[in-house]
Amino acid sequence: MNLVQPLYFQTGKFLLFFLSFLFISCNSTNQDNEEVEDDEPQKSYTSMVNPFIGTAPLTDPEFIGYTPPEGWRVWAGLVFPGSSLPNAMVQLSPITEYGTGAGYEYEDTEILGFTHTNKGHWNLCNIPILPVSGNAKAPFKSSFSHNTESASPGYYEVNLDDYGIKVRLTSTLRSGFHEYTYENETDRKILFDLAKANHGVSNWEITQEDDYSISGFQHVGGDKIHFYAESNVNIKKLDVQKMGEKDGYAILSLEDGKNPVSLKIGLSYVNTENAAQNLKEEIGKADFEEIKKRANNTWEDLLKTIEVTGGNEKQNEMFYSSFYRSFLWPALRSDVNGEFKDVKGEIQKKDFNYYTNPSFWDTYRNKLVLLSIVSPEVTTDIIKTLIDKGEKTGFIPTFFHGDHAAPFIAGTYLRGNSSFDVEKAYELLLNNAYKDGGPRPHIKEYIEKGYISDPDVKNPEVETKAKAGVSKTLEYAYDDYSVAQLAKALGDEEKYEDLIKRSENYKNVFDTSTNFMRGRLENGDWISPFDTEYPYYEYMYREANAWQVSFFAPHNMPELVKLYGGADKFEEKLDSLFTLPWNPDHIARNVASFIGQYSHGNQPAHEAPFSYYFVDKPEKSQEIIDEILGDFYGVGEDGLALSGMDDAGEMSAWYVFSAMGLYPLSPADPEYLVTVPIFEEVKWNLPNGKTLTIDRANSGRNLKQIMVNDEELKGYFISHDLFKSGGEVEIITE
């Protein structure tokens, strides 16, 4: 890599005991943890997670950077507070409004149902179920209060005030578990609102199997989600209104009684039989408390991978909430018997778990690196899934923009994970990089010209649709670098030379007369007029303005500094990025929350705060990083808003890495930029049994020296080898 050369929660015992006792009383214990002394209660990591962070809106125009138009909800957070296991098929969560990012918005006062899939991208929210009572009629919904609402990883509860029902939810990988306590012993009912989801439902069915069981499906887009559900009480009647139609629904009428109603439901993307098997294998005869305990233990095992000490209450909450949020996507799609539907819609059975595509444009930057370290087996299966899709289509799939399976796969391999067919992955990534019809639009123009042009548009607006040529050029150049690293590792010198040359294409959209990455016309002319501050969704830039993309060359930052005219001019430009005020007349829903022109509310500039390192001014980077960590997470009136859309965990993973003092600036490379952690100590309990600790020697925030295993580090990057061998990194500051 062509960069600068490589080369917590400390409180009194009483408070810790109280928190642990409260968690044990309300949320069950983690029986998998080692025994501890009676006066040293177990630390509960799940108790420090707040799933509601990211559900509240941004409302302060000063913080947003502009006054949102009436009726707008800035794209902040867009996360769900319900139950899920890491990378599970099921995310069981309340929905308060369809057609929104994750279906749940904290400011809402009514719950429409509890859905079983979620991501936060205006899709999914499948199989809505709502317990009702009495003579409930459409539109079905209930008011609720946050005072009776609580959540932790793998658990959610709330009171439905209109129906007098207490709802408790937990889940397994492929199944959900509902528990309803009705105030009234009669007229107990359950609504299956199968005509609704975040996307349009094309068809749905529901059938009563016996006195206690029902099954059916919901068809949304290319997905057909099958379910099989069992009640612990007799189903007196299944009343179906307008089966399969857009305004239809079904209601189960249950026998009268005092005891809580349990509804266990298995999902499958293959068939109903598999859904029933998933339910039987994962829940079976277990009761609610047992499944809830299992879910909690699973999250405890994951979260204790990283132990932090020395932070304050908010820092601890934000760290473990962000860590948790980083492991909810991609989502499992294969069943307990190994079957799944492949990219062609055929039922297959392989020796690995099948997953959805990662949200590459967002999460290649950091979250997928975190996943590869913490969950190598899941990472392997995700890559095997991508290869399986590639073998059937000719290309490794991408997500949204760019070709960022390249840094994910290359970086995973270079970090030592070779438990997949790397030769096949490489072959398919070459198809992506060279062939038309794949995940790189305009690849022919890119290869021929070294950049992607945009048309000459008169008076372009924020939502002008074009090629986003500058962003594509920058991202393809980085993707080329990533594939080049794989070529080098596999001994393909010819492709390495070609791709590493192409990785310099970012220079072709750098205008030295303005020192900005700037759009070009097909004939090579610079696009004019040129407003460096105006944000676009798809014209020249993807969800950004010129300021926000002009520091993106994570594989070649020293060369980028030279392009600007040297260290002084680069530093001056960076200073302007973080100080030039945002124009409040420039309004883009998902470009918000600014430090100068820098927007932490969206991904395109998330590497920029680290750029001062390349002019040997780490203290200036740290000042920006600390401001972001302190002021852009857990914000707003309730402290529950994020400064932008979490995008399947990318914003959360940014926090996790930056709070720990390591950042994967170039995720294709097996190394990490060292910053100053906000914690006194960070301890990684690695999958191989080794331990890596990061110690902050004092409370200063200006980086002065990095010691690795008692030897001074030359430069600012540590090698991923430390995650294999273990060791100690000491951060010395002033």
Side-chain angles (χ1 to χ4, degrees):
M1 179 177 180
N2 202 7
L3 294 171
V4 173
Q5 289 301 309
L7 14 210
Y8 98 7
F9 197 113
Q10 284 186 334
T11 62
K13 287 185 179 180
F14 172 78
L15 177 58
L16 188 56
F17 176 82
F18 173 75
L19 288 172
S20 181
F21 174 79
L22 181 62
F23 178 78
I24 291 170
S25 301
C26 299
N27 292 303
S28 81
T29 60
N30 179 4
Q31 295 181 340
D32 292 341
N33 287 345
E34 295 178 0
E35 292 295 323
V36 292
E37 297 296 329
D38 289 342
D39 61 345
E40 295 289 342
Q42 298 177 116
K43 175 182 278 189
S44 165
Y45 295 93
T46 52
S47 68
M48 290 183 278
V49 174
N50 185 348
F52 293 102
I53 291 174
T55 64
L58 289 175
T59 58
D60 182 1
E62 184 175 346
F63 182 82
I64 295 169
Y66 51 80
T67 300
E70 187 176 353
W72 266 35
R73 191 185 197 266
V74 174
W75 288 351
L78 304 185
V79 300
F80 64 90
S83 175
S84 183
L85 296 190
N87 303 107
M89 180 184 293
V90 166
Q91 300 85 31
L92 179 49
S93 189
I95 187 162
T96 63
E97 185 177 351
Y98 290 99
T100 59
Y104 179 95
E105 297 185 340
Y106 193 78
E107 66 272 28
D108 290 341
T109 59
E110 295 176 327
I111 286 176
L112 309 181
F114 302 97
T115 65
H116 292 76
T117 63
N118 211 305
K119 180 187 178 185
H121 276 73
W122 297 275
N123 56 4
L124 303 181
C125 293
N126 300 116
I127 320 294
I129 295 177
L130 181 70
V132 298
S133 64
N135 58 354
K137 292 181 172 58
F140 300 98
K141 57 186 178 180
S142 175
S143 59
F144 75 104
S145 169
H146 295 307
N147 293 331
T148 66
E149 188 182 39
S150 63
S152 64
Y155 179 72
Y156 174 86
E157 75 170 54
V158 70
N159 287 354
L160 300 179
D161 296 335
D162 291 356
Y163 301 126
I165 303 170
K166 180 178 180 179
V167 176
R168 304 173 73 216
L169 308 174
T170 189
S171 58
T172 65
L173 285 173
R174 304 169 180 89
S175 301
F177 201 141
H178 304 235
E179 182 189 85
Y180 309 140
T181 302
Y182 293 77
E183 290 181 2
N184 297 324
E185 300 176 21
T186 61
D187 291 328
R188 303 189 298 177
K189 301 172 183 177
I190 302 175
L191 168 74
F192 278 69
D193 211 4
L194 298 175
K196 295 185 176 67
N198 249 4
H199 272 177
V201 177
S202 59
N203 194 17
W204 61 271
E205 286 186 9
I206 188 169
T207 303
Q208 184 169 349
E209 298 286 345
D210 56 39
D211 288 345
Y212 295 89
S213 306
I214 58 169
S215 65
F217 68 82
Q218 187 182 58
H219 202 163
V220 183
D223 287 331
K224 191 174 183 181
I225 305 97
H226 305 265
F227 66 88
Y228 183 91
E230 295 178 346
S231 170
N232 66 326
V233 300
N234 183 271
I235 300 171
K236 297 194 299 184
K237 179 183 177 183
L238 171 61
D239 181 19
V240 182
Q241 299 290 322
K242 299 182 180 180
M243 179 94 78
E245 298 184 23
K246 295 185 181 298
D247 56 348
Y249 58 87
I251 291 183
L252 305 185
S253 294
L254 307 175
E255 68 179 6
D256 298 341
K258 296 181 179 180
N259 293 334
V261 172
S262 293
L263 186 73
K264 306 173 182 180
I265 179 168
L267 263 57
S268 170
Y269 286 76
V270 176
N271 54 43
T272 302
E273 292 74 21
N274 281 14
Q277 186 178 359
N278 290 342
L279 178 60
K280 180 180 178 180
E281 295 292 331
E282 293 187 348
I283 296 182
K285 297 185 181 301
D287 64 15
F288 187 91
E289 291 301 325
E290 174 61 24
I291 299 304
K292 177 187 171 190
K293 181 191 297 184
R294 292 182 199 171
N296 182 73
N297 290 349
T298 297
W299 279 110
E300 286 286 339
D301 287 344
L302 188 147
L303 295 173
K304 70 183 181 184
T305 301
I306 308 175
E307 301 178 51
V308 297
T309 57
N312 62 38
E313 184 177 354
K314 180 180 178 180
Q315 290 169 337
N316 295 330
E317 180 182 64
M318 277 309 317
F319 181 83
Y320 284 104
S321 298
S322 298
F323 193 9
Y324 145 80
R325 192 66 70 184
S326 299
F327 282 82
L328 294 171
W329 197 265
L332 182 66
R333 284 295 180 264
S334 53
D335 295 324
V336 292
N337 63 6
E339 291 184 344
F340 59 88
K341 278 192 177 179
D342 68 14
V343 70
K344 296 291 188 180
E346 300 295 327
I347 298 175
Q348 302 287 338
K349 187 173 183 178
K350 302 285 186 177
D351 61 351
F352 58 88
N353 282 324
Y354 197 80
Y355 286 89
T356 60
N357 295 337
S359 296
F360 283 122
W361 191 66
D362 313 299
T363 61
Y364 86 95
R365 306 164 196 270
N366 45 42
K367 194 196 85 164
L368 292 177
V369 177
L370 186 63
L371 180 76
S372 71
I373 299 171
V374 175
S375 300
E377 293 180 0
V378 173
T379 302
T380 298
D381 284 352
I382 292 169
I383 295 176
K384 288 181 176 180
T385 300
L386 296 171
I387 293 171
D388 183 82
K389 294 175 180 179
E391 288 180 313
K392 294 175 172 66
T393 64
F395 301 95
I396 293 284
T398 189
F399 173 82
F400 189 65
H401 205 256
D403 184 21
H404 303 317
F408 171 50
I409 294 174
T412 298
Y413 182 73
L414 294 173
R415 288 180 177 86
N417 186 337
S418 58
S419 301
F420 58 92
D421 189 343
V422 65
E423 297 281 356
K424 176 57 69 173
Y426 174 59
E427 174 189 332
L428 293 165
L429 287 172
L430 289 179
N431 288 351
N432 287 19
Y434 286 93
K435 293 183 178 182
D436 283 329
R440 294 203 195 188
H442 318 295
I443 188 62
K444 184 177 180 181
E445 180 185 29
Y446 173 79
I447 293 173
E448 291 177 352
K449 296 179 178 179
Y451 66 90
I452 295 171
S453 65
D454 267 289
D456 190 3
V457 178
K458 302 295 183 184
N459 303 314
E461 298 178 350
V462 169
E463 297 189 16
T464 295
K465 293 187 182 299
K467 297 181 185 178
V470 175
S471 291
K472 279 189 174 67
T473 301
L474 297 175
E475 293 179 30
Y476 288 2
Y478 182 69
D479 297 329
D480 289 339
Y481 171 83
S482 302
V483 183
Q485 304 315 299
L486 206 50
K488 184 177 182 180
L490 297 176
D492 188 347
E493 189 64 26
E494 180 181 352
K495 282 294 187 287
Y496 170 77
E497 293 294 340
D498 186 51
L499 288 164
I500 205 68
K501 183 178 180 180
R502 280 171 44 172
S503 75
E504 297 184 5
N505 283 342
Y506 68 91
K507 297 178 182 179
N508 297 331
V509 291
F510 187 82
D511 175 17
T512 55
S513 70
T514 62
N515 274 3
F516 282 102
M517 301 291 179
R518 181 175 180 180
R520 304 184 75 163
L521 299 174
E522 191 173 0
N523 65 5
D525 291 346
W526 297 112
I527 289 177
S528 185
F530 178 48
D531 185 343
T532 63
E533 299 178 34
Y534 196 83
Y536 297 100
Y537 284 154
E538 293 185 64
Y539 185 60
M540 295 192 286
Y541 313 107
R542 187 68 192 186
E543 301 182 7
N545 67 11
W547 282 97
Q548 292 155 4
V549 304
S550 290
F551 301 90
F552 183 85
H555 57 302
N556 213 352
M557 290 296 290
E559 284 298 311
L560 183 65
V561 171
K562 292 179 183 178
L563 272 185
Y564 274 92
D568 290 343
K569 290 186 176 180
F570 185 81
E571 182 181 359
E572 182 181 352
K573 196 75 167 188
L574 267 179
D575 289 344
S576 297
L577 168 70
F578 294 111
T579 56
L580 180 66
W582 183 261
N583 185 338
D585 293 329
H586 292 168
I587 299 174
R589 191 191 297 260
N590 58 340
V591 182
S593 307
F594 303 99
I595 303 175
Q597 292 293 302
Y598 171 80
S599 168
H600 199 67
N602 206 13
Q603 283 72 32
H606 276 189
E607 294 80 11
F610 305 94
S611 297
Y612 284 108
Y613 272 77
F614 300 93
V615 292
D616 203 29
K617 296 288 181 69
E619 69 279 2
K620 296 184 81 168
S621 275
Q622 196 62 54
E623 184 178 356
I624 300 298
I625 293 167
D626 285 348
E627 182 177 355
I628 295 169
L629 291 171
D631 299 341
F632 286 74
Y633 289 81
V635 300
E637 182 179 351
D638 298 298
L640 296 176
L642 294 177
S643 55
M645 184 177 173
D646 194 44
D647 276 314
E650 189 278 341
M651 185 170 285
S652 291
W654 195 100
Y655 188 98
V656 170
F657 273 117
S658 299
M660 288 191 300
L662 299 177
Y663 196 80
L665 187 75
S666 173
D669 290 292
E671 61 183 15
Y672 309 88
L673 183 66
V674 178
T675 63
V676 181
I678 60 175
F679 303 106
E680 293 175 6
E681 181 184 78
V682 178
K683 184 169 77 171
W684 283 78
N685 301 305
L686 302 168
N688 62 5
K690 304 288 186 178
T691 299
L692 171 63
T693 59
I694 305 165
D695 294 313
R696 193 189 71 209
N698 51 51
S699 61
R701 302 305 297 162
N702 293 334
L703 180 64
K704 285 301 172 184
Q705 191 180 35
I706 304 165
M707 303 293 292
V708 179
N709 294 331
D710 296 325
E711 293 186 7
E712 184 175 3
L713 179 71
K714 305 301 181 183
Y716 298 114
F717 286 86
I718 65 166
S719 169
H720 182 75
D721 288 344
L722 285 168
F723 283 94
K724 301 176 185 177
S725 61
E728 181 181 16
V729 178
E730 186 177 13
I731 311 299
I732 299 171
T733 63
E734 66 174 17

